[in-house]
């Protein structure tokens, strides 16, 4: 079972696209506009086969936006697609916006836990408090990931306590990240880099044994 099997992103209809970030913008496969009309039970196996396969990340499929007209993903479609991904098994990661529309709210309700990334500065923490409150209304397990921005900034444990969230860890700046993205290299590919270390530690903590049935949504 591939642990990183689906990476669903309902929130970037006005962004550049997650497939671009992961170096898979030319890969053939379904995007969110193709699935906006999904209702009821969707086959997890067929969904996995229909999503774009990424050359650099063979264990990861990506569900993102195309570069066409913007549309809204109905919560019914979000529910059907995430349920299909969960039945297929493996890890499902959903990127949701700070402002929770109906689809993003549905994604949180379907999730096992959520990570809220917070820069360690006062204004960012104040804004994160409102986001955390909205997220907790839909999901019980919301955790903070603190990004240090300068030496002597706010301590991570104090930020998490102030947000009334469990601290999932700190994420130091990733060297060369901007250059990697420009070259089509997905984030976290540098062995021993801060992002790779954080992800490995966090996933080892929260993922069930590989033999477990079903998938988790994060």
């Amino acid at each position: 079972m591939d642990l990183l099997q689906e990476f669903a992103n309902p929130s970037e209809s006005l962004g550049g696209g997650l497939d671009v970030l992961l170096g898979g913008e030319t890969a053939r496969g379904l995007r969110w506009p193709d699935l906006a009309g999904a209702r009821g039970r969707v086959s997890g196996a067929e969904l996995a086969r229909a999503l774009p396969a990424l050359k650099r990340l063979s264990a990861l499929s990506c569900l993102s936006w195309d570069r066409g007209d913007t549309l809204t993903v109905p919560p019914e479609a979000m529910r059907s697609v995430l349920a299909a991904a969960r039945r297929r098994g493996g890890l499902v990661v959903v990127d949701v916006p700070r402002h929770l529309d109906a689809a993003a709210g549905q994604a949180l309700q379907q999730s096992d836990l959520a990570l809220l990334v917070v820069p360690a500065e006062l204004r960012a923490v104040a804004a994160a408090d409102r986001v955390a409150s909205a997220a907790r209304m839909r999901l019980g397990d919301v955790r903070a990931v603190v990004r240090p921005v300068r030496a002597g900034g706010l301590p991570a444990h104090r930020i998490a306590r102030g947000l009334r969230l469990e601290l999932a860890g700190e994420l130091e700046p990733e060297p060369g990240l901007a250059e990697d993205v420009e070259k089509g290299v997905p984030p976290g590919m540098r062995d021993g880099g801060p992002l790779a270390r954080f992800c490995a530690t966090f996933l080892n903590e929260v993922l069930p044994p590989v033999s477990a049935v079903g998938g988790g949504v994060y």
Side-chain angles (χ1 to χ4, degrees):
M1 179 178 66
D2 293 334
L3 290 180
L4 294 177
Q5 183 188 332
E6 324 287 353
F7 196 117
N9 179 4
S11 65
E12 289 191 353
S13 60
L14 298 178
L18 183 65
D19 52 351
V20 176
L21 178 65
L22 298 178
E25 65 271 21
T26 61
R28 294 180 176 273
L30 299 182
R31 266 68 174 181
W32 268 116
D34 302 307
L35 294 168
R39 299 291 187 276
R41 186 180 180 88
V42 174
S43 167
E46 290 184 8
L47 176 66
R49 286 194 295 268
L51 293 181
L54 305 175
K55 293 180 180 180
R56 291 179 179 266
L57 299 167
S58 58
L60 178 65
S61 298
C62 168
L63 176 54
S64 183
W65 290 90
D66 60 13
R67 257 55 70 186
D69 294 338
T70 350
L71 55 77
T72 300
V73 175
E76 296 83 1
M78 178 62 61
R79 184 183 306 115
S80 295
V81 170
L82 287 186
R86 183 187 287 274
R87 285 193 299 271
R88 181 67 172 84
L91 173 66
V92 183
V93 180
V94 186
D95 179 23
V96 298
R98 291 193 298 174
H99 174 70
L100 299 178
D101 58 13
Q106 177 61 223
L108 281 180
Q109 291 173 22
Q110 295 263 350
S111 298
D112 295 288
L113 66 89
L115 296 178
L116 177 59
V117 181
V118 186
E121 55 186 12
L122 186 58
R123 291 182 66 240
V125 173
D129 188 42
R130 302 177 67 180
V131 178
S133 297
R136 280 194 299 263
M137 295 175 63
R138 296 166 173 84
L139 175 64
D141 192 353
V142 182
R143 308 182 191 184
V145 177
V146 176
R147 288 180 49 232
V149 294
R150 63 179 182 277
L154 298 174
H157 68 276
R158 286 184 55 190
I159 292 174
R161 186 169 64 245
L163 295 173
R164 301 174 299 283
L165 300 178
E166 179 182 343
L167 178 63
E170 294 185 65
L171 182 56
E172 297 288 340
E174 181 83 3
L177 179 61
E179 292 83 355
D180 285 347
V181 171
E182 287 297 322
K183 296 175 182 177
V185 178
M189 296 291 287
R190 293 174 180 262
D191 291 337
L195 183 55
R197 291 199 309 271
F198 172 83
C199 290
T201 301
F202 176 74
L203 293 178
N204 285 335
E205 175 188 346
V206 302
L207 281 181
V210 174
S211 59
V213 177
V217 182
Y218 299 84

